[in-house]
């Protein structure tokens, strides 16, 4: 008697995941735009939040020539992203005396730099007093 093959049930994530080949072979639904047609939502979401943050951080490091401490905000805009990046502007000993700056980067949907500006400067140990100017 042949051995019976046990089939495990698919997890919900596996059921939702669709391979690239399967997407190419399947016909688009009536309410689904073709993949090559951009919608306002797809333009704004051409980049993931993580990619937008990393891209904004890279732009600030390249523009200022300073070390980034981290990303403090990633926010989608109409057709792009706004990213806030904290940068060490002046190293001190002890490090609690470092002067930090908060920069804001505006990116388009593909991650190209539109603009950037420094929002504020502050000492590392001064506490958070909001991100506004």
């Amino acid at each position: 008697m042949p051995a019976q093959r046990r089939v495990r049930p698919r997890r919900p994530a596996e059921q939702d995941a669709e391979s690239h080949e399967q997407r190419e072979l399947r016909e688009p639904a009536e309410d689904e735009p073709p993949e090559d047609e951009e919608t306002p939502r797809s333009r704004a979401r051409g980049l993931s939040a993580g990619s937008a943050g990393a891209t904004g951080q890279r732009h600030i490091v390249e523009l200022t020539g300073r070390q980034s401490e981290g990303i403090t905000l990633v926010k989608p805009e109409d057709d792009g992203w706004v990213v806030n990046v904290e940068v060490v502007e002046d190293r001190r000993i002890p490090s609690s005396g470092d002067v930090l700056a908060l920069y804001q980067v505006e990116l388009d949907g593909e991650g190209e730099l539109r603009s950037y500006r420094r929002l504020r400067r502050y000492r590392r140990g001064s506490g958070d007093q909001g991100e506004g100017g």
Side-chain angles (χ1 to χ4, degrees), residues 18-29 32 35:
E18 184 177 33
S19 74
H20 181 67
E21 293 88 17
Q22 289 171 328
R23 280 194 303 273
E24 285 182 350
L25 295 175
R26 122 181 118 72
E27 293 292 321
E32 182 180 321
E35 284 187 29

Side-chain angles (χ1 to χ4, degrees), residues 21-89:
E21 293 88 17
Q22 289 171 328
R23 280 194 303 273
E24 285 182 350
L25 295 175
R26 122 181 118 72
E27 293 292 321
E30 287 182 25
D31 61 340
E32 182 180 321
E35 284 187 29
D36 59 345
E37 182 179 313
E38 281 192 0
T39 63
R41 184 176 180 166
S42 68
R43 275 195 310 273
R45 304 295 186 260
L47 227 52
S48 70
S51 296
T55 301
Q57 185 177 34
R58 182 177 43 82
H59 282 302
I60 288 297
V61 168
E62 289 174 0
L63 289 165
T64 65
R66 305 205 188 275
Q67 180 183 348
S68 167
E69 283 290 294
I71 300 164
T72 63
L73 172 88
V74 177
K75 182 174 80 171
E77 285 294 311
D78 296 331
D79 56 349
W81 295 90
V82 172
V83 179
N84 286 2
V85 179
E86 195 173 49
V87 171
V88 179
E89 293 231 324

Side-chain angles (χ1 to χ4, degrees), residues 76-129:
E77 285 294 311
D78 296 331
D79 56 349
W81 295 90
V82 172
V83 179
N84 286 2
V85 179
E86 195 173 49
V87 171
V88 179
E89 293 231 324
D90 190 15
R91 290 234 178 250
R92 302 283 171 93
I93 297 176
S95 62
S96 61
D98 288 351
V99 176
L100 305 177
L102 186 64
Y103 284 86
Q104 184 174 75
V105 179
E106 292 184 15
L107 305 172
D108 67 12
E110 283 76 43
E112 294 299 315
L113 181 68
R114 281 192 191 151
S115 68
Y116 85 101
R117 65 185 176 135
R118 184 173 62 198
L119 297 176
R120 66 187 187 106
R121 286 174 52 118
Y122 51 95
R123 290 206 184 277
R124 183 185 298 273
S126 66
D128 188 16
Q129 294 163 4

